[in-house]
Amino acid sequence: MFIRKSIIAATGLFLCLFLVVHLSANCILILPEETARTLYNSYSTTLRESPLIKIIAYVLYLSIMLHIIYALLITRSNKKAKPRGYHVNRTKDNSSWISQNMGFLGITILLFLIVHLTNFWARIKLGIGENVGLDNNGHKDVYEVTYALFQNVYVVLFYTVLMVPLGMHLNHGLKSALMTLGFYHKKGLRLLAKLSLIYASIIAIGFGVIPLIVFFK
Amino acid sequence: MKATFKIWRQEGGDAEGQFRLYDVDGLTEDMSFLEALDHLNEQLVQRNENVIAFEYDCREGICGQCGVFINGRAHGPNDAMTTCQVHMRSFKDGELIVVEPWRAAAFPIIKDLVVDRSALDRIIEHGGYISAKTGTAPEANAILIAKDKADKAMDAAACIGCGACVASCKNASAALFTSAKINHLNNLPQGKQEASKRVLEMTRQMELEGFGSCTFTGACEVECPEGISIINIAEMNASRIKAKWLE
Ligand code: HEM
Ligand code: FES
């Protein structure tokens, strides 16, 4: 059981790190059109062709799968430990809503992830769906895929709104993961709580506004 | 003072339980919550009905016997307090007071509000002690213990094993209880010798008993009558990782 929980925490932390890199790269998208197109496409091509990134990508896929599988397994065994709830339960008086609903928040992220991967990863990496064109440098025009997608209001809303549960999941997840892995420094934990909130806000707001900026470009 | 009690009644472990409503008159604000239940039971005796089973011993916050879930909180509406320390002045006149037993697969119901918490005793049996014979109380300064270590051990040792942490946890995790018992001993020179064995065996027993895993909601430390901090759980995890994978 503890090994499962440690895997959820370790893979969660790795995913947290991935999100920082991912968000930094996505910031290119808000630059002026031509610069953004050249930069984003050449960045994306470099990544796709690097053998090191290939390995990291596989670690990433594995992390996502392990995180989800073990989260679901642990949620199931936790339900078994508490088969019956209370008639009246004032959890709000003793804990945050977020911490009580990590599984639900995770499922909404999973929903986002499925749509997100179909929109980009499947088209660009697997070649499933509409063909991706080339830019003037002969690079796959990933910028165009993004730009075209974010012309649709509903898509933009989906991408923006679902960053809220992501931010919530990360706010609790970051602190919880470090405690699961044995970080118990008292003052450090107080700082960690603040850092988790800052980190989660940057990720959620960052990923959330980029589609809006692209839409209004 | 009046109150309506909505209390979980269950004949035995396998029996179906249900809530029963009791209108109780003649209460006073100075009565403890348990005295109010006594008062209700006296009326049930006079009406020739079965009394409500609930547990207590010291009635002063020491023994940890008395825990029940009151209006959605372990040990009632106040933070850091046992059920026996709750007074009727914590409720409004005429309030509906819902009383439920601790809910956890590892705490089967014995009768009404009484649950079997012996799973916690079995965790203690797996290392919540020092195996060497230490004789009578030694001279106080014979073994020097740094102040911060002594404080940490004493804070953890305050656990009275009431089970509120398990009861309030959405996963029915016993991590706060187990970590308190482990850290109490592992922080002291007498307990250090068996620290790794203790952490491995006690946490193993905790899992065998069917308690869930810790998600750090923090509900337990708010409901704990002794205010034991969840930092203890993180410290237990650190010792666990060290004992399991680094030693
Ligand atoms: C970008 C994606 C994700 C990231 C960065 C992430 C990150 C994290 C982190 C750091 C934790 C803390 C682990 C701990 O409490 O020790 C966590 C917990 C959790 N995650 Fe995720 N997660 C992601 C996606 C998901 C998804 C798709 C699910 C879907 C089921 C999920 C379900 C959970 C659950 C249920 C927990 C809590 C486990 C518990 O309650 O004990 N997560 N996550
Ligand atoms: S009866 Fe002893 S702590 Fe409440």
Side-chain angles (χ1 to χ4, degrees):
Chain A
M1 201 114 92
F2 186 55
I3 178 107
R4 285 190 200 167
K5 186 76 209 200
S6 309
I7 290 173
I8 300 181
T11 52
L13 287 180
F14 179 72
L15 294 174
C16 287
L17 196 65
F18 159 75
L19 289 181
V20 174
V21 180
H22 192 14
L23 178 60
S24 319
N26 283 8
C27 287
I28 299 175
L29 294 171
I30 60 177
L31 297 173
E33 162 124 32
E34 275 320 302
T35 334
R37 189 185 299 272
T38 320
L39 264 178
Y40 202 73
N41 291 348
S42 72
Y43 167 76
S44 150
T45 308
T46 316
L47 283 196
R48 242 174 297 125
E49 287 168 357
S50 152
L52 178 68
I53 296 294
K54 269 201 187 111
I55 297 171
I56 295 179
Y58 282 114
V59 176
L60 179 65
Y61 306 148
L62 189 71
S63 293
I64 294 175
M65 286 191 295
L66 287 178
H67 187 89
I68 296 173
I69 292 168
Y70 281 120
L72 292 176
L73 282 176
I74 220 164
T75 304
R76 207 182 55 176
S77 69
N78 287 340
K79 283 253 156 64
K80 227 162 74 195
K82 191 125 195 161
R84 184 186 187 118
Y86 295 98
H87 180 60
V88 185
N89 196 352
R90 298 176 59 92
T91 50
K92 280 193 186 64
D93 290 357
N94 58 33
S95 53
S96 71
W97 184 88
I98 296 175
S99 70
Q100 296 277 346
N101 292 283
M102 286 296 276
F104 167 72
L105 292 168
I107 298 287
T108 61
I109 301 168
L110 183 61
L111 176 76
F112 169 83
L113 213 58
I114 293 170
V115 173
H116 179 53
L117 291 180
T118 341
N119 288 156
F120 292 95
W121 184 70
R123 271 184 74 186
I124 295 156
K125 274 218 163 154
L126 306 181
I128 298 171
E130 214 181 315
N131 196 32
V132 181
L134 300 180
D135 69 2
N136 294 338
N137 302 321
H139 296 144
K140 273 196 186 176
D141 202 349
V142 178
Y143 177 84
E144 188 56 37
V145 177
T146 320
Y147 185 79
L149 190 71
F150 291 153
Q151 294 314 105
N152 182 330
V153 197
Y154 298 108
V155 175
V156 171
L157 281 180
F158 179 84
Y159 271 77
T160 301
V161 171
L162 280 186
M163 288 305 101
V164 176
L166 174 66
M168 291 167 129
H169 192 88
L170 295 176
N171 178 35
H172 182 72
L174 190 59
K175 339 180 238 219
S176 174
L178 283 164
M179 294 219 260
T180 298
L181 296 176
F183 180 66
Y184 67 92
H185 189 276
K186 200 170 172 181
K187 279 192 194 133
L189 282 172
R190 234 173 283 147
L191 184 68
L192 177 64
K194 288 192 193 113
L195 286 179
S196 298
L197 181 63
I198 295 172
Y199 166 79
S201 311
I202 292 177
I203 295 288
I205 296 172
F207 278 117
V209 296
I210 290 174
L212 285 171
I213 295 178
V214 173
F215 179 76
F216 287 111
K217 229 171 173 177
Chain B
M1 182 183 180
K2 270 195 245 171
T4 303
F5 285 93
K6 184 171 178 179
I7 299 180
W8 184 260
R9 301 301 309 264
Q10 185 170 334
E11 263 313 303
D14 300 324
E16 277 287 312
Q18 78 279 326
F19 282 103
R20 289 277 307 273
L21 282 170
Y22 301 95
D23 287 317
V24 185
D25 218 335
L27 299 166
T28 71
E29 292 197 327
D30 299 331
M31 277 183 171
S32 77
F33 180 79
L34 296 186
E35 282 168 339
L37 288 185
D38 290 336
H39 182 73
L40 165 57
N41 270 345
E42 280 162 15
Q43 297 179 355
L44 292 180
V45 169
Q46 280 170 1
R47 298 207 302 254
N48 233 343
E49 288 180 40
N50 271 339
V51 294
I52 296 151
F54 61 96
E55 257 189 302
Y56 57 87
D57 186 14
C58 69
R59 296 206 179 200
E60 53 179 345
I62 301 170
C63 72
Q65 297 286 303
C66 57
V68 287
F69 225 71
I70 307 165
N71 279 353
R73 299 279 307 270
H75 292 303
N78 311 304
D79 295 353
M81 194 182 271
T82 57
T83 299
C84 58
Q85 293 169 305
V86 175
H87 285 82
M88 292 311 288
R89 56 179 165 271
S90 298
F91 305 95
K92 289 191 285 291
D93 193 18
E95 190 170 339
L96 175 70
I97 304 172
V98 182
V99 192
E100 306 174 65
W102 285 169
R103 297 284 187 196
F107 287 172
I109 291 182
I110 296 174
K111 190 172 185 202
D112 298 337
L113 302 172
V114 180
V115 300
D116 177 0
R117 284 169 296 147
S118 58
L120 298 184
D121 300 336
R122 287 189 293 276
I123 293 176
I124 303 248
E125 280 167 16
H126 283 78
Y129 52 82
I130 287 162
S131 61
K133 284 207 175 68
T134 52
T136 53
E139 204 279 314
N141 293 323
I143 302 173
L144 297 179
I145 303 170
K147 175 84 167 82
D148 59 332
K149 289 278 176 194
D151 285 349
K152 237 165 123 176
M154 286 299 274
D155 286 347
C159 169
I160 55 177
C162 66
C165 46
V166 176
S168 57
C169 176
K170 76 183 181 70
N171 303 338
S173 165
L176 192 65
F177 167 83
T178 310
S179 66
K181 295 300 172 195
I182 289 173
N183 295 344
H184 154 211
L185 295 172
N186 281 12
N187 273 301
L188 296 174
Q190 297 92 330
K192 267 217 150 51
Q193 315 306 326
E194 296 165 296
S196 297
K197 185 164 173 271
R198 175 175 300 116
V199 74
L200 290 178
E201 292 188 358
M202 288 180 74
T203 51
R204 183 166 171 272
Q205 189 61 28
M206 169 180 86
E207 288 175 358
L208 288 178
E209 294 290 347
F211 293 105
S213 68
C214 170
T215 311
F216 292 99
T217 65
C220 54
E221 71 175 357
V222 175
E223 303 299 6
C224 174
E226 302 300 324
I228 291 171
S229 160
I230 53 168
I231 297 176
N232 279 291
I233 304 177
E235 185 172 347
M236 170 177 77
N237 289 345
S239 326
R240 220 174 158 184
I241 289 169
K242 191 166 151 250
K244 215 169 178 155
W245 293 309
L246 304 180
E247 268 176 12

